[in-house]
Amino acid sequence: LINLGRTMQEPMSRLQMRDMLNDFLGHFLEFMETVLTFAKDHADTIMPGHTHFSQANPITLSNYALSIFDNMHRGLEQLELSYKLINRNSGGCGATSGTVWPVDRHLMTQLLGMDELLEVTYDCEASQDHTMQLIFSISNICATLSKLTMDIEIWGLEEIDMLRVDRSLAGVSSMMPQKCHNGDLTENLRNAICDILSSAVAGLLRTKAEPHGDVLAMYSFPEKGIDALIKAKSVIRRCDVLLRNLHVRKEVMLKHVKDGYSCMTEVVVYMVRELGYGGRRAHRICATLVRIARDRGIKAPELTGQMLDEAAKLCEEQPPNLSTSVLQKCLDPVEFIRTHKNTGGPAPSETERMVRIRQKVIADARARQEGRLNRITQGEQLLKDEIATIQGNQD
């Protein structure tokens, strides 16, 4: 304790969190690679895109997966900031005022393989904001993963059947033998994520009414960060297993899109661009067409140009006289995906470009991770050298 400047808990907890965060980052980068591989494999898997639980426009499963990846990448940036804040040396701070012993805090920073010195001695014991930063970083990642598991469970409903979790991971009801459900994995994941999210709330409540100083709430707070890392590692590994064991039913996904009316926006675009209709006029006519089709139980592949004219007349608008072939080309989800190749769109060519960029993102992240581990190794070697020098002088 004297050599550390009369403190132990603060630098020790930082060393523990640093080691566990490095371990977590290794698994997290593997998961990000799994997500990216999943996206690459499904560049041509067309599925309904939803807003407010209704079909909006077609997307690809790849476009969805890339969104998950980018959420994880933003989470990685937060985790790396957390690492930077954690990997600061608070040793030698004492309880409040440091020590009169000749402790070289800068040398201690090097020997511990830390990047910076947490200079103000009072700040070392009082703050613990680095722990809060870590917990919120993990919570932000897990909130997205919770949504992912819910989507997978919904898409796996028998009434939807767009994907299935491998039977080796699916559960069977103890009462109803016909049930083969994904809940054993997805629901348990959300339960585990709830525990992690509760840590963020507990952290806020733990610190809100405390003084800015060395009190028990701050003394024990690092345990909450370590606990969040343990739980998050389990969640990440199980999500990785989940993605690797999804059986995607491409033909069912495409049928859902074809039977729906999610390409109707392209009819509006055609009417505005090619026929000179105003945007709201075209929108009203197409909305009326969809209402007529739903009332009559007619799916999108069965719509005709005559039905579009009928909808226009009901709106007291000039019939567009569109041929059925032109109408159906506008309603074709495969054509929709092919033409939506604007930046970030779902077209396969755009997906390939985005995947290539994100492969470099992973490579750069792994290089940074290697640099962090090397920094610790260098500190350990320096410490061994210093000890050997001391022992040599004593001899």
Side-chain angles (χ1 to χ4, degrees):
L1 290 180
I2 290 175
N3 290 338
L4 286 171
R6 305 199 307 271
T7 188
M8 176 65 82
Q9 169 268 334
E10 235 290 335
M12 185 62 71
S13 67
R14 287 175 180 269
L15 291 170
Q16 290 172 332
M17 268 194 281
R18 180 182 71 179
D19 287 348
M20 295 187 69
L21 180 51
N22 272 327
D23 179 59
F24 176 79
L25 283 168
H27 292 283
F28 188 63
L29 289 173
E30 286 182 11
F31 174 65
M32 289 180 68
E33 284 188 338
T34 297
V35 175
L36 194 57
T37 299
F38 188 82
K40 183 180 179 181
D41 291 344
H42 292 285
D44 62 347
T45 302
I46 300 173
M47 64 178 292
H50 292 89
T51 62
H52 309 287
F53 292 92
S54 297
Q55 277 201 35
N57 280 151
I59 61 171
T60 61
L61 187 54
S62 176
N63 207 251
Y64 177 91
L66 285 173
S67 175
I68 298 296
F69 179 91
D70 281 6
N71 272 257
M72 295 300 101
H73 184 216
R74 291 190 286 272
L76 175 64
E77 290 179 316
Q78 291 179 310
L79 285 174
E80 290 182 324
L81 174 59
S82 298
Y83 185 91
K84 178 181 177 182
L85 298 177
I86 290 168
N87 200 34
R88 292 175 172 175
N89 175 34
S90 57
C93 66
T96 57
S97 309
T99 177
V100 295
W101 290 95
V103 174
D104 186 339
R105 300 185 68 208
H106 293 283
L107 176 59
M108 187 187 298
T109 301
Q110 293 179 309
L111 297 176
L112 295 176
M114 290 184 159
D115 299 321
E116 298 179 47
L117 172 66
L118 196 63
E119 192 172 47
V120 179
T121 54
Y122 192 87
D123 187 35
C124 296
E125 293 276 16
S127 297
Q128 284 300 323
D129 51 304
H130 63 282
T131 301
M132 184 65 79
Q133 163 70 25
L134 173 65
I135 293 174
F136 274 110
S137 300
I138 293 171
S139 298
N140 199 15
I141 290 166
C142 288
T144 295
L145 295 179
S146 179
K147 294 187 287 184
L148 169 66
T149 62
M150 178 59 80
D151 286 340
I152 289 173
E153 200 157 344
I154 291 171
W155 297 340
L157 289 171
E158 286 187 83
E159 296 85 349
I160 299 174
D161 200 26
M162 294 200 305
L163 51 78
R164 296 174 182 177
V165 176
D166 191 86
R167 289 177 182 175
S168 63
L169 300 176
V172 178
S173 169
S174 60
M175 292 186 64
M176 290 166 280
Q178 80 280 7
K179 288 179 65 177
C180 180
H181 57 88
N182 306 329
D184 277 8
L185 186 54
T186 51
E187 285 188 63
N188 284 331
L189 271 169
R190 288 199 296 281
N191 275 338
I193 288 170
C194 281
D195 290 338
I196 293 171
L197 298 181
S198 69
S199 298
V201 177
L204 285 173
L205 296 177
R206 176 180 288 267
T207 59
K208 67 177 281 291
E210 296 295 330
H212 185 59
D214 182 9
V215 291
L216 282 179
M218 297 300 97
Y219 181 89
S220 59
F221 194 35
E223 297 171 6
K224 301 299 180 184
I226 291 171
D227 183 60
L229 278 169
I230 293 170
K231 291 174 178 174
K233 177 180 173 180
S234 173
V235 165
I236 287 295
R237 294 180 68 178
R238 287 151 69 188
C239 283
D240 190 271
V241 169
L242 177 61
L243 271 189
R244 291 176 185 270
N245 287 274
L246 284 182
H247 300 297
V248 177
R249 295 170 58 75
K250 296 173 65 170
E251 69 287 351
V252 176
M253 287 185 168
L254 184 58
K255 186 177 187 304
H256 280 306
V257 182
K258 284 183 174 179
D259 287 348
Y261 311 96
S262 60
C263 294
M264 193 60 69
T265 52
E266 300 309 283
V267 182
V268 174
V269 170
Y270 186 92
M271 292 174 64
V272 171
R273 188 163 55 194
E274 303 298 331
L275 304 178
Y277 282 80
R280 300 316 301 172
R281 291 173 61 210
H283 182 280
R284 184 167 61 252
I285 293 169
C286 289
T288 302
L289 173 60
V290 173
R291 179 176 59 80
I292 292 172
R294 285 197 174 115
D295 288 347
R296 298 175 185 175
I298 297 173
K299 303 294 185 182
E302 302 164 0
L303 295 177
T304 65
Q306 289 77 16
M307 291 182 67
L308 182 62
D309 290 344
E310 179 186 352
K313 291 174 183 176
L314 286 172
C315 296
E316 299 182 344
E317 293 283 0
Q318 182 68 31
N321 294 317
L322 228 63
S323 68
T324 298
S325 61
V326 171
L327 176 64
Q328 284 300 321
K329 184 177 181 181
C330 292
L331 294 175
D332 180 9
V334 176
E335 180 70 10
F336 181 101
I337 293 297
R338 185 188 69 80
T339 56
H340 279 67
K341 52 188 176 183
N342 54 309
T343 302
S349 59
E350 182 61 11
T351 296
E352 290 173 9
R353 182 192 67 83
M354 291 190 288
V355 167
R356 285 196 302 271
I357 291 173
R358 283 151 184 79
Q359 286 172 334
K360 186 176 185 307
V361 165
I362 291 281
D364 291 345
R366 287 202 174 278
R368 292 194 300 273
Q369 175 69 355
E370 185 177 353
R372 287 188 288 267
L373 296 174
N374 287 340
R375 177 72 184 87
I376 295 172
T377 301
Q378 290 168 3
E380 291 173 348
Q381 185 59 51
L382 180 60
L383 180 58
K384 290 177 182 178
D385 293 344
E386 291 293 315
I387 292 172
T389 299
I390 293 170
Q391 290 175 332
N393 291 338
Q394 289 176 342
D395 293 342

